[in-house]
Amino acid sequence: MPMYFEDFEVGQRFVTAGRTVTEADVVNFAGVSGDYNPIHTDAEFAKSTPFGQRIAHGLLVLSMLTGLRQRTGATDGTLIAWLEIRNYRFLKPVLIGDTVHGETEIVEKRETSKPDRGIVVQRVRVLNQRGEVVQEGEFVTMIRRRPREEA
């Protein structure tokens, strides 16, 4: 069920479902983004890196996080705009075959000058199947306020 600005509370937490990063994900993201860096696309080259194998694009994993969050339905029809990504860090590599999920904590909410919307700041983290945080940062979003009932 979609959540309006009023429904979010500072300290509230949400966890997404998991998703396994596949070979197809990496290949398709390389094609869409044009990022054919051999660390992502060349298995022989990747063997010579500190990771020992190909890694997923950091922005692919960030994109997966946005999709996993959307699948919760929390902001279906209430998200107006994504305004900012703050202090986003790529902490650990994500390998093909890793399963990631997202965690969100509401850290701030504030009203705007317009009565139909508010700003929600969320601390987000992506974790792998071992519970390791692989990415983290903050998302700033504009969310609809609950419509006033007609008299």
Side-chain angles (χ1 to χ4, degrees):
M1 184 155 135
M3 297 177 66
Y4 291 90
F5 175 77
E6 294 84 356
D7 300 323
F8 290 97
E9 298 295 334
V10 172
Q12 194 172 24
R13 295 175 183 265
F14 305 91
V15 177
T16 72
R19 185 179 191 297
T20 301
V21 179
T22 67
E23 167 96 14
D25 294 328
V26 172
V27 170
N28 287 328
F29 192 82
V32 168
S33 67
D35 180 351
Y36 292 98
N37 186 304
I39 192 71
H40 309 302
T41 60
D42 183 330
E44 291 305 310
F45 171 84
K47 286 179 186 177
S48 69
T49 71
F51 310 113
Q53 61 184 298
R54 290 176 297 149
I55 61 172
H57 303 74
L59 292 178
L60 166 61
V61 177
L62 173 57
S63 297
M64 288 178 162
L65 172 62
T66 65
L68 289 168
R69 286 167 38 94
Q70 186 61 36
R71 285 176 43 197
T72 69
T75 57
D76 283 355
T78 60
L79 176 67
I80 296 172
W82 222 23
L83 302 176
E84 185 178 358
I85 298 176
R86 296 180 183 161
N87 304 314
Y88 205 81
R89 301 182 321 145
F90 301 87
L91 302 170
K92 292 182 179 280
V94 174
L95 308 173
I96 294 170
D98 280 353
T99 298
V100 296
H101 75 275
E103 295 182 354
T104 298
E105 178 184 2
I106 307 304
V107 295
E108 179 186 341
K109 64 183 264 191
R110 63 182 182 273
E111 296 183 2
T112 68
S113 60
K114 297 191 178 189
D116 66 336
R117 63 194 68 178
I119 305 299
V120 178
V121 180
Q122 305 135 73
R123 181 175 300 118
V124 297
R125 302 185 323 158
V126 178
L127 293 88
N128 64 19
Q129 69 274 12
R130 292 178 294 283
E132 299 167 330
V133 178
V134 298
Q135 295 183 5
E136 66 181 2
E138 290 183 343
F139 291 169
V140 181
T141 55
M142 184 180 294
I143 306 289
R144 292 187 197 288
R145 293 186 72 111
R146 189 173 302 286
R148 295 184 184 176
E149 296 295 323
E150 300 283 331

